Each structure stands twice: as structure tokens, then as C-alpha cells.
Amino acid sequence: MGAKGASEDGDRRIGRRALIVGGLAAAAGTAALARDELARLWWRLPGIDKPRTPGEVDFAGARWVAASDANWRGADRPDDFHIDMVVVHVTQGSLDSAVKAFQNPGHKAAAHYIVGKDGRVTQMIRELDVAYHAGNRDYNERSIGIEHEGFVDRPEDFTDEMYAASARLTARICARYEIPVDREHIIGHVEVPGTDHTDPGPHWDWDRYLNLVRRAGTARAEDRRSAVPAGGSGSPTPGS
């Protein structure tokens, strides 16, 4: 997205941000706001320096392992590049081998997240920053990349635990950046223009995955609504 598109997106969000901040100020003392959501108000505030705490993750429960600086570049997303896409990858190897590859400066590529067969989520690049994962600069700048442990020709690698954990992660990303949960915005690496990759391959169950993403998003929204005490703010807070 160019500068004009980024500016229009920023203008569109100003009014909502003002409402969000006002609502949060009123509700900050209540149990309706989880600690992680309070910590992420800056995702929705314009024109501020977003904090970078070493080892901090964007998805609760993920472990942090830093990718090599050669495999990503610093940014200030979504202020400088609007995020409107999630790209699904498959590692073509084990989780540990993917971590090692993304730590290798000679690899020249890395994704933001890796999801293991057991449902473990590893974050290696902040969502703020541009990961070299899609093989297309425009898509890199506007997307979050999620790798999945396994091989494209082995359907048994795509476990229930992996699907469920990845769906929760993608649902959280979609909520944070207001990304529609559909196949235009949640795509496979194979669908990126100019790529020579085939992942996630024919055994990735897109219908199942999108249904899980939608269910995870709905469940989280319901949890947040039910957490609002009587007399508290009725509007759930955008956040992680």
C-alpha cells in the first residue's frame, strides 16, 4: 500500500481511536479489561512511538525466539504499512529446523510465527516489523506470516492441536487489524504473486481452518462481553 492509502487508513481510524481511548479510560479500573489488553492500547493510538520490550510477544502464551536481523526489517506497522492479510506457510521440516533457519542471517527469510504440531506457538519477529516471508515486498509489508511445522505432502502433520492454535492466533491478528476472515485476506504462500512455493499444499483444510478462526474470534468476543460487570462499559476493547 502506498503513502496515499496509508494516510486514508489513518484518517479513517482517528474517530474510532478517540472513542476507544475514551471508553478505555472509563473502564480501565474494571475487571472487564485484561492486563494484556491494557498493555496494547498503543496498537490503536496514532502518531506515537510503539514500545519494544526485549522478549515481549504479541500473542499471549507464545515463546519468543528472535530471528536474525538479516531476515526482517524494522517498521512501525500498522502506522506506516496497513496490515490486511495473513499468509499461511508450511516449514517443510521440523519446528526446531525452522527456528534455526530463521536465526541464520544467510537464510534471508523468516516468518513472524511458527506453530508446532503440538500447538506450541513461537514468535520470532514482532508484528510491528516486516518479515521476509512471502517473497513479495508488497505482501511482506502488508501481512503477518505464520509457518506450520510439517511437510505439504503429509496430511498427518496438520494436527488438531496445530489447527486450533493457529486459528486462535489468526483470529487475534484479524481482530487487532480488522482483517476480514475470508480467503481474500487469509491466503497460502502459493497464492502470493511471483512466488515459487506451493505451501500450504493440497492437504491444508481451508474450510476447516476458516471455520476455526471464526469460532475463535466469536468465542473471544463473547468472553470479553461477559467479563463486563453491571454498569461497566458495554463495548469490548480492540486489542491482542
Side-chain angles (χ1 to χ4, degrees):
M1 175 175 287
K4 182 175 184 296
S7 174
E8 289 173 351
D9 183 66
D11 293 343
R12 180 175 64 82
R13 294 186 179 193
I14 293 297
R16 294 196 68 236
R17 283 170 172 148
L19 291 173
I20 289 164
V21 172
L24 288 172
T30 74
L33 295 174
R35 225 181 325 176
D36 65 325
E37 295 183 359
L38 283 171
R40 299 208 182 284
L41 296 183
W42 50 267
W43 281 104
R44 293 296 184 185
L45 296 176
I48 68 169
D49 244 353
K50 296 181 175 66
R52 296 171 183 270
T53 303
E56 183 181 43
V57 295
D58 297 306
F59 180 70
R63 66 163 180 159
W64 173 261
V65 181
S68 168
D69 292 350
N71 298 331
W72 58 276
R73 63 182 166 89
D76 194 28
R77 302 192 309 169
D79 284 350
D80 49 4
F81 300 109
H82 177 53
I83 299 172
D84 65 358
M85 195 174 297
V86 174
V87 180
V88 173
H89 303 260
V90 173
T91 60
Q92 289 299 96
S94 68
L95 187 149
D96 289 341
S97 68
V99 168
K100 289 177 182 176
F102 294 168
Q103 289 178 312
N104 178 3
H107 190 63
K108 303 301 182 186
H112 294 90
Y113 294 97
I114 308 171
V115 181
K117 296 177 189 177
D118 61 0
R120 285 188 299 160
V121 177
T122 299
Q123 183 171 5
M124 300 194 69
I125 299 168
R126 292 294 304 279
E127 291 178 14
L128 290 168
D129 298 319
V130 176
Y132 302 156
H133 67 96
N136 177 307
R137 179 169 181 165
D138 176 55
Y139 277 65
N140 284 341
E141 289 173 345
R142 60 192 284 202
S143 68
I144 304 293
I146 305 176
E147 289 276 2
H148 297 82
E149 180 185 17
F151 293 86
V152 296
D153 58 349
R154 289 172 43 174
E156 65 270 21
D157 288 347
F158 305 142
T159 64
D160 294 344
E161 293 83 1
M162 173 186 286
Y163 272 118
S166 180
R168 287 192 297 270
L169 171 59
T170 294
R172 195 74 59 87
I173 292 167
C174 289
R176 182 163 26 245
Y177 304 108
E178 300 177 359
I179 301 172
V181 179
D182 59 37
R183 287 288 283 115
E184 291 183 18
H185 298 86
I186 303 174
I187 67 170
H189 195 183
V190 66
E191 297 168 81
V192 175
T195 186
D196 60 356
H197 287 251
T198 63
D199 53 317
H203 300 297
W204 183 260
D205 190 336
W206 282 108
D207 289 339
R208 176 185 181 186
Y209 187 61
L210 290 184
N211 284 335
L212 286 170
V213 173
R214 293 186 186 105
R215 284 166 52 188
T218 299
R220 179 166 173 79
E222 290 175 351
D223 286 346
R224 290 163 68 185
R225 282 195 295 269
S226 67
V228 177
S233 171
S235 299
T237 306
S240 63

